[in-house]
Amino acid sequence: MPRTSLGELEHLILVAILRLEDRAYGAAVIAEIERQTGRDLSHAATYLALQRLRAKGLIAARAGSGATERGGRARFVFSVTKTGRDRLRESAAAIFTLWKGLDPALRSRGKP
Amino acid sequence: VRSDDGPPVWLVWIAARLVPRLADEAALGDLDERYRDRAGAAGRAAATRWYARQLLGFLVRLPIARVRAAAGRRSGFDRGSMTPAPSRVLLLRDLRADLRLAGRRLIRDRWAATATIATLAIGIGTSTAVYAVFNHTLFRPVPGIGDGSRLVSVYVRPDLTTPEYTTATHAHLAAMRAMPAFDGLAAYRTAPLPVRIDGGNPRMLHVTSVSLGYFDLLDVEPVAGRLFTADEYERPDTPIAVISERLWRSALGGDVAAVGADIQVVGTPVTVVGVARSFRGLASVSDEDVWLPVGADAALNLYRGGEYRWDRMVGRLQPGVTLSSAREQATAAFERIGRVGSGTRTFTAVVYPGLTDGFGLAEQSMTELFWLAISGSGLLLLLACANAAGMLLARNLRQQRDLALRIAIGASRLRIVRQLLIDTSTISAVAAIAGISLAAFLIELFRSDRLMSYMPVLNDLTFDWRVAVFAALVATLTVLLAGVLPAILAARTAIRAPLQASMRRAAAGRLRRTLTAAQVALSLALVASAGVLAESVARLRSVDLGFDPERLLTVTLQPRRAAAANAAAFFGELERRLSATPGIDAVGVAPSPPLGSYLRTDVMVSPEVPAAPGILRYVSSDYFRAMRIPVVAGRVFTAAEANDQGTGGPAIIDELVAQHLFGVASALGRSIHVRRRDVMELHRIVGVVGATAWSLHESRRPTVYLPVADLRVATFHVRSAVPAAEGMQIVGRLVRELDPLLVIDVQTIDSHIDRLTSQSRVQARLAAMLAIFALALAVVGVYSAASASAQARTREFGIRMALGASRTAIERDVVGGAGRTAAFGVAGGVLLYAWASRYLESALHSISALDALTIAVACGLLFTVAVGAAWLPARRAARVDPTVTLRAE
């Protein structure tokens, strides 16, 4: 089956959804990624990526409850599908494989 | 429910409209929630900034999401299917990629892009604004006219070869009326006359006398009352008037009761029978407010003596009649008049389509101004296009390597051209929008009276469809010139083998240098034009008048017809009262204000000696004191000599006459012959005074002064001891005490000179505006050319610096290159200006268009500015670390 590779943002989103388990709605996912990577995410870009992931069938979404701290608006809670887990695993494996044996090189060069 | 610590309401409002287009309702909730988190952590201000940034992110990504959604729906390509998508979809996908690429390059190259956009916007904006003025004057639909079809303007010309127009007589009108070509024909004549409404102070309004059928021909409708009936137009002694809606609303409050009431025109009561709906007359320069049937002229005693002359005729052609056949018929009819009437004279009819003759032939000066503006802005547009084309070419060449790579991996020729086209036309499109906005702003500026206060017609200047079409045409042309050409050039370069690329690049560099030189040349021409125009105005303002303009007031008075018999008594009384008023130093009386019209004469010592042409002026004895014209020898007129104009009476001459007729010998007591009303009279010289200027534009002329007598119109020259504004009030009050019905127009000499020079000043200001824009374009052009060339030679500089060249040497190299280009440009500019200056000559006074100093200053300015503009890129080039440069390759 031909497939396009996972983008970096897509990768991060999948991991974040897995970490958050059943609390993985939009704001929480973005906040989690920002906390872990220390960078500022654009909401718009993240939603586009989420839509892309849904279209590829890598994540699923179900309606969650609203809350007053978000203006009473609905939440969509995301979960990673079986295909999504497989693809994430492949992607991570590819990266780990590539990383193997690089640790000493990275240490000796100091800051890249 | 929204609690108080949410994002600002207006941002939420925007978000509610923007976010769901890209994501869903939940996304709004997410934004809201994270706003609160951030507000708690970093404060509300920071959170609000963050929120706004997020919204911007949505806005920017909206088009991407749209295109993606559309493409996804159509082909399913993005779902990973391997079946080849239909070519239409591929095309769309490519287009999408090109657009995205163009967008990215725009953001990456934003400074260069901004410079290009600003350049094009200035060109499009100024030429559109100038065209709007042109359009307004040329094509402005005359307000208040019901049916403008088949209307023509008719002028009478003495013969075919004379460019001047004469005015039509009753005979011309009658001859034209008999012609079958016309469905209707009417004539009119306009003059500024004092009109008094509702017992207020009289003021000058444009009053038009109209012939039979005027309003019917133009299909004007009354908004109140009625217009003239057929039998009222030419019936003698019918003191009735139609007034404009504007006057009716402003002076009479739009009161229907005003119809049937009287207004006073030149002191004579005239009954208002109606108000013309939004009609403002046919004059292209000033609005008319009162229309009288021509029969009323006699009742008002308006035009006495001589043949009655109309300003212009307007007619409606019969359907199917051409302009040339109308012209032939009219000329044939005029030939008959010529034979019957004044013997040898023949007349030619000039028939123009429409109601305006362009600029109003009476306003010859306007034409000059408009040509200056049109050619100036045309040059500017050309300059902007050249500039932008150069910048876009450089921009396209910068990505040469990228293009070569793409060709190497199989991109088609078409694809490359298209990508470059999309890239350049994105910029041009943004520039077109910016340019049209600039035009709208400039039009607003013209209209707001700040720039062209003496052209009341510009008050209702608008951005109509013609201007819009013109702007669109200019913008398209600009895109073609500045966008498409560089794209094709760059694509051709890229498509050739990379080996040839450097050769091509050298060719493009030459083209670039030529374009830059052309810009400098055009700017120089505009700057030099602005310079001589400004210098001309300055010289006009600083002409040595020969009298002291400080606190000198003039008031010209024409007693009403009823009081005309007592004019002399009236003027005498006013002079006495003015002289006796504290705050007024001296009062001199003459028939007209200084620097205005004058009488020509010839002066000679004896009938055998050749006469000296000169000027004759009648003045009261205090005139010289009021004007502060120095008395060089002898004395001024005494009170006893007033009115003594006869042969043997006293005369005062100025130094020029004295020098011309008597040389160094004393002129006092000598006799001179003065031509007056075609008769030579002998006068005795009692005094010699300093010479004065009679016009701002001409050199001084010999002048002879005789005592003033029997004036019907008089100008009082008042030397005020108090500031001019106070003096003007004093004079106004005194005149009104004597006759409350007179129109009073008190002026300072300065304001009089302002009025005389207003056209020159507008020309100078307009030229200065264009020159500033042109200079800005030249700076941008030289700057971007220098930085492009510096960038292209980065490797060379790196090697040279690695081999020991100093930074100064590199800087000198870049600046020197720009300097050479600028020098070529300056030289070309001088030639261009020398050629174009002949069209400037007529607008200049007491300075030649080829004024060496002005041209030298313009050259120096352009050269300095050009070298200055190249200095920044030069410094940047010299600052680069050679190791970095070399490794970058």
Side-chain angles (χ1 to χ4, degrees):
Chain A
M1 193 173 116
R3 54 181 59 137
T4 49
S5 65
L6 276 185
E8 190 206 4
L9 183 59
E10 292 171 335
H11 195 117
L12 290 173
I13 289 173
L14 287 176
V15 175
I17 294 175
L18 285 174
R19 287 175 75 106
L20 288 167
E21 298 177 345
D22 55 349
R23 289 175 292 110
Y25 62 97
V29 170
I30 297 170
E32 176 69 13
I33 298 174
E34 288 188 351
R35 193 159 49 242
Q36 298 297 343
T37 63
R39 51 183 225 211
D40 243 356
L41 274 198
S42 154
H43 273 229
T46 314
Y47 287 116
L48 283 176
L50 281 168
Q51 283 169 6
R52 223 157 40 227
L53 288 169
R54 271 181 84 178
K56 290 177 184 168
L58 303 187
I59 60 170
R62 62 183 166 79
S65 58
T68 48
E69 74 265 22
R70 42 192 280 121
R73 301 199 193 266
R75 283 171 174 152
F76 274 95
V77 179
F78 300 101
S79 58
V80 182
T81 62
K82 168 90 174 46
T83 331
R85 282 166 201 270
D86 292 347
R87 289 290 303 284
L88 186 58
R89 202 175 298 119
E90 286 166 23
S91 179
I95 292 175
F96 286 140
T97 313
L98 281 170
W99 270 86
K100 238 173 234 165
L102 264 181
D103 281 11
L106 282 173
R107 263 197 295 275
S108 70
R109 290 291 294 271
K111 259 175 84 180
Chain B
V1 186
R2 187 166 50 231
S3 66
D4 285 341
D5 52 351
V9 180
W10 61 276
L11 276 176
V12 172
W13 186 87
I14 296 174
R17 269 143 200 87
L18 178 66
V19 174
R21 286 167 194 268
L22 187 103
D24 44 37
E25 278 286 300
L28 272 175
D30 289 336
L31 275 173
D32 200 276
E33 185 179 332
R34 305 219 41 242
Y35 174 86
R36 282 158 217 265
D37 288 351
R38 282 184 177 253
R44 286 182 69 96
T48 304
R49 277 200 299 278
W50 171 84
Y51 195 90
R53 221 164 40 235
Q54 292 303 325
L55 292 188
L56 200 64
F58 277 96
L59 188 67
V60 170
R61 282 174 182 83
L62 207 56
I64 303 172
R66 287 237 164 129
V67 174
R68 176 179 295 165
R73 263 201 310 278
R74 276 189 217 149
S75 68
F77 189 88
D78 281 327
R79 294 203 192 109
S81 134
M82 268 304 270
T83 44
S87 64
R88 200 163 53 89
V89 175
L90 276 178
L91 205 70
L92 186 70
R93 197 194 50 169
D94 290 352
L95 194 66
R96 213 170 66 201
D98 285 346
L99 275 173
R100 201 162 47 211
L101 209 61
R104 271 195 213 137
R105 287 190 61 202
L106 205 64
I107 292 167
R108 198 178 55 212
D109 261 6
R110 56 188 170 277
W111 293 118
T114 309
T116 316
I117 289 168
T119 301
L120 285 175
I122 287 175
I124 295 172
T126 46
S127 54
T128 304
V130 167
Y131 176 75
V133 175
F134 191 77
N135 167 67
H136 177 77
T137 328
L138 202 58
F139 303 117
R140 171 176 70 144
V142 179
I145 286 179
D147 176 11
S149 61
R150 290 180 283 120
L151 285 180
V152 291
S153 309
V154 183
Y155 299 85
V156 181
R157 208 181 244 190
D159 56 65
L160 270 174
T161 51
T162 315
E164 282 158 21
Y165 293 86
T166 163
T167 46
T169 61
H170 280 313
H172 289 118
L173 183 60
M176 301 260 315
R177 273 186 181 151
M179 283 167 42
F182 288 98
D183 197 5
L185 191 83
Y188 64 90
R189 164 177 189 152
T190 301
L193 294 174
V195 176
R196 188 165 184 248
I197 296 163
D198 251 5
N201 284 331
R203 52 183 170 145
M204 284 294 176
L205 294 177
H206 282 267
V207 178
T208 302
S209 305
V210 299
S211 81
L212 176 64
Y214 179 80
F215 286 121
D216 310 292
L217 174 79
L218 298 173
D219 202 10
V220 175
E221 287 190 358
V223 65
R226 61 179 179 83
L227 304 175
F228 303 137
T229 61
D231 62 326
E232 280 171 346
Y233 275 108
E234 298 182 3
R235 191 172 65 200
D237 287 335
T238 313
I240 56 173
V242 167
I243 60 173
S244 69
E245 187 175 353
R246 189 181 72 146
L247 182 68
W248 182 54
R249 295 206 186 280
S250 65
L252 295 163
D255 187 1
V256 185
V259 175
D262 282 357
I263 58 172
Q264 288 186 322
V265 180
V266 208
T268 311
V270 172
T271 309
V272 174
V273 296
V275 181
R277 187 187 298 279
S278 59
F279 185 59
R280 275 179 276 164
L282 302 178
S284 55
V285 173
S286 45
D287 289 336
E288 299 160 25
D289 282 307
V290 179
W291 294 274
L292 305 171
V294 63
D297 280 16
L300 268 62
N301 222 346
L302 281 184
Y303 305 108
R304 285 186 308 182
E307 205 171 12
Y308 194 92
R309 297 216 169 247
W310 299 99
D311 282 349
R312 185 158 57 142
M313 291 185 276
V314 281
R316 193 185 298 276
L317 294 180
Q318 292 283 6
V321 173
T322 62
L323 281 179
S324 57
S325 70
R327 203 172 293 143
E328 280 162 24
Q329 282 188 30
T331 305
F334 289 172
E335 268 175 13
R336 282 195 293 278
I337 305 173
R339 274 190 228 119
V340 175
S342 352
T344 55
R345 276 199 297 179
T346 57
F347 295 96
T348 308
V350 182
V351 184
Y352 279 102
L355 290 174
T356 47
D357 51 5
F359 307 113
L361 289 159
E363 306 302 317
Q364 193 66 40
S365 54
M366 289 273 188
T367 322
E368 226 170 66
L369 180 65
F370 279 116
W371 280 118
L372 179 82
I374 292 277
S375 49
S377 64
L379 272 183
L380 203 65
L381 181 65
L382 214 61
L383 187 70
C385 281
N387 209 334
M391 287 196 263
L392 286 174
L393 187 60
R395 180 183 163 82
N396 288 338
L397 289 177
R398 272 202 295 278
Q399 55 166 351
Q400 202 86 96
R401 198 173 320 174
D402 177 39
L403 293 178
L405 189 70
R406 292 185 57 191
I407 290 166
I409 59 172
S412 72
R413 185 184 281 245
L414 180 74
R415 187 71 206 284
I416 297 290
V417 173
R418 200 180 67 184
Q419 192 216 313
L420 288 170
L421 272 183
I422 286 175
D423 194 58
T424 49
S425 31
T426 312
I427 289 192
S428 310
V430 175
I433 294 168
I436 290 169
S437 316
L438 177 67
F441 169 76
L442 287 176
I443 286 173
E444 197 53 44
L445 197 72
F446 288 162
R447 199 166 55 177
S448 67
D449 272 5
R450 255 168 284 174
L451 191 69
M452 306 208 177
S453 51
Y454 88 111
M455 289 192 207
V457 278
L458 295 185
N459 286 343
D460 51 355
L461 185 66
T462 48
F463 204 106
D464 67 2
W465 65 268
R466 281 198 195 84
V467 180
V469 166
F470 177 85
L473 273 177
V474 165
T476 314
L477 193 77
T478 314
V479 169
L480 280 175
L481 268 176
V484 174
L485 220 62
I488 291 172
L489 260 174
R492 222 171 56 192
T493 317
I495 287 161
R496 298 281 156 85
L499 257 182
Q500 282 185 344
S502 65
M503 242 167 65
R504 286 273 155 191
R505 209 181 305 184
R510 267 202 301 281
L511 177 64
R512 190 77 214 273
R513 277 195 296 279
T514 315
L515 282 177
T516 312
Q519 282 162 35
V520 172
L522 289 172
S523 310
L524 178 83
L526 279 172
V527 169
S529 309
V532 287
L533 283 169
E535 179 62 24
S536 158
V537 171
R539 289 195 188 178
L540 278 183
R541 293 310 307 253
S542 62
V543 164
D544 180 11
L545 299 168
F547 59 87
D548 181 7
E550 183 73 25
R551 288 183 180 175
L552 181 61
L553 310 174
T554 60
V555 52
T556 303
L557 296 171
Q558 177 169 23
R560 292 172 302 127
R561 215 153 286 282
N566 300 323
F570 172 81
F571 290 141
E573 177 62 21
L574 183 61
E575 190 183 356
R576 256 190 307 285
R577 287 202 190 186
L578 279 171
S579 314
T581 307
I584 289 174
D585 275 353
V587 180
V589 185
S592 61
L595 305 173
S597 54
Y598 45 76
L599 297 171
R600 285 163 206 277
T601 186
D602 292 306
V603 193
M604 60 193 86
V605 181
S606 67
E608 298 83 48
V609 180
I615 288 169
L616 178 60
R617 187 159 169 86
Y618 300 107
V619 297
S620 68
S621 52
D622 253 2
Y623 177 82
F624 301 101
R625 198 156 68 86
M627 297 286 284
R628 298 213 175 118
I629 298 172
V631 178
V632 179
R635 58 174 176 85
V636 297
F637 301 127
T638 61
E641 284 166 344
N643 296 330
D644 184 8
Q645 290 182 340
T647 298
I652 294 173
I653 57 173
D654 72 0
E655 289 168 310
L656 294 178
V657 180
Q659 209 169 1
H660 187 86
L661 295 184
F662 306 107
V664 286
S666 170
L668 291 182
R670 305 279 294 264
S671 288
I672 50 164
H673 294 264
V674 179
R675 184 191 301 282
R676 204 157 74 95
R677 298 189 195 107
D678 285 335
V679 178
M680 291 308 278
E681 291 177 350
L682 203 62
H683 289 275
R684 173 173 46 86
I685 297 171
V686 297
V688 179
V689 295
T692 55
W694 290 108
S695 150
L696 291 175
H697 308 151
E698 291 169 37
S699 51
R700 296 170 179 194
R701 295 200 196 174
T703 307
V704 177
Y705 298 90
L706 294 181
V708 70
D710 294 333
L711 288 174
R712 288 176 55 204
V713 182
T715 299
F716 285 76
H717 300 67
V718 180
R719 175 69 59 184
S720 171
V722 291
E726 274 177 59
M728 285 160 84
Q729 279 179 0
I730 296 175
V731 174
R733 186 165 43 80
L734 279 174
V735 176
R736 215 160 274 136
E737 273 173 23
L738 276 180
D739 186 348
L741 300 183
L742 269 187
V743 176
I744 308 164
D745 180 23
V746 189
Q747 282 191 19
T748 60
I749 288 292
D750 274 336
S751 71
H752 184 58
I753 294 177
D754 273 349
R755 207 179 290 179
L756 289 175
T757 56
S758 62
Q759 195 207 334
S760 308
R761 279 184 295 135
V762 170
Q763 282 176 343
R765 248 183 281 177
L766 203 64
M769 187 184 86
L770 292 175
I772 287 171
F773 278 137
L775 204 58
L777 290 188
V779 168
V780 171
V782 172
Y783 170 81
S784 52
S787 58
S789 111
Q791 206 167 15
R793 295 171 64 192
T794 307
R795 190 178 146 85
E796 176 207 321
F797 291 151
I799 294 172
R800 278 171 57 186
M801 280 166 76
L803 292 177
S806 69
R807 284 187 177 175
T808 327
I810 302 292
E811 277 179 18
R812 206 181 295 145
D813 194 344
V814 176
V815 172
R820 270 193 300 282
T821 311
F824 274 117
V826 166
V830 170
L831 291 180
L832 176 71
Y833 177 72
W835 173 77
S837 63
R838 71 183 83 168
Y839 302 106
L840 214 58
E841 212 62 78
S842 65
L844 296 176
H845 308 290
S846 68
I847 179 171
S848 155
L850 292 172
D851 183 60
L853 182 67
T854 310
I855 295 176
V857 168
C859 289
L861 179 69
L862 252 291
F863 190 77
T864 315
V865 161
V867 169
W871 188 71
L872 207 66
R875 241 172 57 127
R876 213 166 27 202
R879 281 263 175 93
V880 172
D881 184 351
T883 53
V884 173
T885 332
L886 293 174
R887 200 180 293 158
E889 277 293 311

